[in-house]
Amino acid sequence: MDQGMTTGSDNLLSAVVPLMKLLCLTVIGLILAHPRIQIVPRATFKLLSKLVFALFLPCLIFVHLGQSVTLDDVLLWWFVPINVLISTAIGCALGYIVAILCRPPPQFFRFTIIMTGFGNTGNLPIAIVGSVCHSSDNPFGPDCGRAGIAYVSFAQWVAVILVYTFVYHMMEPPMEYYEIVSDENENEIEEEPISNASRPLLHEAEWPGMADKETTHSKTPFIARVFMSISGSSQNTFPDIDFSEEGGSTAGPSSPKSLRCFAEPKVVRRIRVVAEETPIRHILQPPTIASLLALIVGLVPVFKAFVFGYDAPLSFFTDSLEILAGAVVPSVMLILGGLLAEGPNDSALGIRTTIGIIVTRLLVLPLVGIGVVALADKMHLLIEGDQMYRFVLLLQYTTPSAILLGAIASLRNYAVREASALLFWQHICAVVSLSVYIVIYFKLLSYV
C-alpha cells in the first residue's frame, strides 16, 4: 500500500513539476516584456521568435527526427499525422456545437469553429515534451526526449498543410458581413497605425512573416465571391477576379490556355481559381524543410551513418545543431510570456462564446481524445508498449488554440482583436487544464 502511494505521488510530481518549470519561464518572459517594466522591448522578442522559427526549431527537428526515424518507423508512426486530422475534425465539430449553443455574433460563426478546432501541435507540445523529459527520472525512459520530439515533428507537416488550406479559407471575412468586419478593422487601424515595429507580438510569435504574406484577395471574402454572384455597391470595393478561360486577347498561340481542346467547366474553373489563390506555396518554411531533410537523411542508411553517430564524419556538425536546439524550449516559453504581457484586447465575441470555446477546447476535447486514443489502442493501431507515442497523441487534443491563428486573423483582416483576446484567456486557463490532464495521462499510461 505504501509502495502504491509512493508511485502515485511520483506520478503526480512527474506531471506537475515539468509544467511548473515551463510556468517559471513564462513568468520570466512576462516580467521582462511587461509594459510598465519593459526590460526587454517587443522588438527583441520578435527577433527571438524569428531565431526560433528560422534556426533553433529547425535544428531541433533535424537532430531528433533524423536520429530517430527509420523506414520501419515511418510505417509505424502513420497514426500521428492522422491523429492531427482527427483531432481537428472533432474539434471543429465541437466548435460548430459551441457556435449553435452560444450564438456568437453572426460574423464570428466560422471563427468560433476554427478557434475551437485547431490546436497548437508544434511549439507548445515540443516544450512540454522537452520539460517532461528534462529530468532523469521521467516515466518514459532514457530516450524520452528524442522520441517525443520526433513524434511531434513528424506531425507538423500535416498541421502546416491544414494552416495554408483549410484554416486560411475558414478565416476569410464572411461575405454577408464583410462591411461590418472591414469597418471594425479600419477603425482599429485609424486608432493605431500598424507597422512592423508596432505590430503585436501575437502576429510574430509562432510563424514570423505570416502576416506579411498578403495578396490581392487575402483580406476579402474570396471563395464566396468566386462561387456566388454578388450585387450592389459593395462589389466595387473588391479587386476584380479573372475568370477568363482563354486569358483574353493577350493569350498568344504558345499559351497553355490557348491549347485546350475543350472548354473548361465553370465549376472546375472556379475551383482552379481558388486553388491558385491558396498560399500552399508558403508551406516550405525552415521547420518543414528541416523535417524533409531529417526524413531523407534518416531513411537512407548511408546518409544517416555519415551525419549521425559518435563516429560519424559530421558528428561535430550535428553536435553544434544540438547545442542550438537546446534553446528552443526556454525561447518558446519566454516568447509566450512576452505575448501574455501584452494583455487581452477588447473583443466583440461575447463572454458566453469565449467561455464556451475555452471549456470545449481545454476540457471537453481532451476527454474525447482519451476515448479516441483508447479506441485506436484497442484496435492495435498504436505502437505496442510505447507510452511516449500515446502521450504525444493525447497532447494533440489538450493544447490551447494555435497562436498562429492570430497571425492568420491579421493576414485575413478578420477577427483580429477577438483572436488576440481568446488566445490570451485560453493560455491563462491552459495552465490549470494542462496540469490536470497531464496528471490524468500519466495515471492512465501507467496502467497501459
Side-chain angles (χ1 to χ4, degrees):
M1 185 174 180
D2 290 341
Q3 186 178 359
M5 290 177 65
T6 303
T7 304
S9 176
D10 289 343
N11 283 340
L12 182 63
L13 287 175
S14 298
V16 173
V17 170
L19 283 176
M20 292 300 101
K21 296 176 185 176
L22 296 180
L23 183 60
C24 286
L25 291 171
T26 306
V27 170
I28 292 171
L30 191 151
I31 293 171
L32 291 175
H34 196 277
R36 292 185 180 179
I37 304 174
Q38 207 170 37
I39 300 172
V40 177
R42 181 190 295 171
T44 305
F45 279 95
K46 290 183 179 180
L47 178 60
L48 180 60
S49 177
K50 290 178 181 178
L51 282 172
V52 170
F53 179 72
L55 181 61
F56 300 154
L57 184 59
C59 289
L60 182 79
I61 292 172
F62 180 79
V63 169
H64 290 280
L65 182 59
Q67 281 184 305
S68 303
V69 72
T70 63
L71 184 59
D72 293 335
D73 288 334
V74 170
L75 299 177
L76 290 173
W77 295 358
W78 65 272
F79 192 75
V80 177
I82 295 297
N83 193 58
V84 174
L85 298 176
I86 294 172
S87 63
T88 303
I90 294 174
C92 288
L94 292 174
Y96 183 81
I97 296 172
V98 171
I100 294 294
L101 296 178
C102 296
R103 296 192 298 275
Q107 64 267 30
F108 299 128
F109 192 90
R110 281 191 282 109
F111 173 79
T112 302
I113 294 173
I114 203 66
M115 291 299 289
T116 309
F118 194 77
N120 192 324
T121 58
N123 291 358
L124 190 56
I126 284 176
I128 293 172
V129 169
S131 184
V132 166
C133 299
H134 186 260
S135 58
S136 57
D137 58 344
N138 71 80
F140 298 108
D143 202 32
C144 166
R146 184 174 300 169
I149 292 171
Y151 295 149
V152 175
S153 304
F154 191 68
Q156 275 200 327
W157 62 270
V158 178
V160 173
I161 292 174
L162 283 174
V163 164
Y164 282 111
T165 53
F166 175 69
V167 175
Y168 178 83
H169 288 304
M170 281 288 286
M171 290 287 282
E172 84 169 21
M175 180 70 217
E176 57 273 27
Y177 301 102
Y178 175 73
E179 292 181 357
I180 298 174
V181 174
S182 61
D183 286 346
E184 289 176 356
N185 290 309
E186 281 175 8
N187 291 336
E188 181 181 346
I189 292 171
E190 288 174 3
E191 291 171 8
E192 184 181 353
I194 294 178
S195 63
N196 288 334
S198 61
R199 182 181 294 160
L201 181 59
L202 173 67
H203 302 164
E204 305 283 337
E206 192 170 27
W207 203 271
M210 166 70 83
D212 295 326
K213 293 180 172 61
E214 183 178 333
T215 64
T216 307
H217 303 287
S218 61
K219 297 185 184 298
T220 63
F222 181 72
I223 292 182
R225 294 170 55 218
V226 169
F227 287 97
M228 295 192 307
S229 60
I230 61 175
S231 59
S233 60
S234 62
Q235 186 172 2
N236 297 327
T237 64
F238 298 128
D240 293 331
I241 301 176
D242 183 15
F243 291 109
S244 61
E245 184 182 352
E246 300 298 332
S249 59
T250 58
S254 61
S255 172
K257 292 183 179 180
S258 65
L259 299 177
R260 290 176 185 161
C261 299
F262 301 100
E264 188 178 34
K266 285 186 178 181
V267 174
V268 175
R269 192 185 317 157
R270 293 173 188 273
I271 292 174
R272 174 176 57 78
V273 170
V274 171
E276 289 172 355
E277 287 295 325
T278 300
I280 193 69
R281 61 188 178 279
H282 296 311
I283 191 174
L284 289 178
Q285 300 292 336
T288 47
I289 293 172
S291 298
L292 290 173
L293 289 175
L295 288 173
I296 292 170
V297 172
L299 294 177
V300 180
V302 176
F303 293 165
K304 193 169 188 176
F306 190 76
V307 176
F308 297 109
Y310 182 75
D311 297 327
L314 289 182
S315 61
F316 68 93
F317 176 68
T318 51
D319 287 346
S320 302
L321 297 184
E322 195 160 6
I323 293 171
L324 290 170
V328 170
V329 174
S331 298
V332 165
M333 301 317 296
L334 288 174
I335 293 166
L336 179 58
L339 171 64
L340 296 178
E342 294 184 345
N345 283 329
D346 296 331
S347 173
L349 190 61
I351 296 176
R352 180 169 56 185
T353 306
T354 301
I355 294 174
I357 293 173
I358 292 173
V359 169
T360 305
R361 177 74 223 177
L362 299 183
L363 298 180
V364 178
L365 187 59
L367 292 175
V368 179
I370 292 173
V372 171
V373 174
L375 179 62
D377 197 15
K378 192 173 182 180
M379 296 172 65
H380 304 289
L381 301 177
L382 310 183
I383 300 175
E384 192 70 30
D386 192 337
Q387 309 304 341
M388 176 52 74
Y389 186 83
R390 290 162 175 77
F391 181 66
V392 169
L393 294 177
L394 291 167
L395 273 184
Q396 291 174 350
Y397 294 88
T398 317
T399 54
S401 299
I403 297 174
L404 184 57
L405 294 175
I408 298 176
S410 176
L411 176 65
R412 302 310 309 261
N413 201 31
Y414 171 54
V416 179
R417 292 193 174 200
E418 287 70 25
S420 174
L422 189 56
L423 287 169
F424 175 86
W425 292 116
Q426 274 201 50
H427 282 81
I428 293 295
C429 297
V431 174
V432 178
S433 65
L434 278 170
S435 301
V436 171
Y437 273 108
I438 288 179
V439 171
I440 293 172
Y441 295 158
F442 277 28
K443 195 70 176 175
L444 291 174
L445 292 173
S446 66
Y447 291 112
V448 176

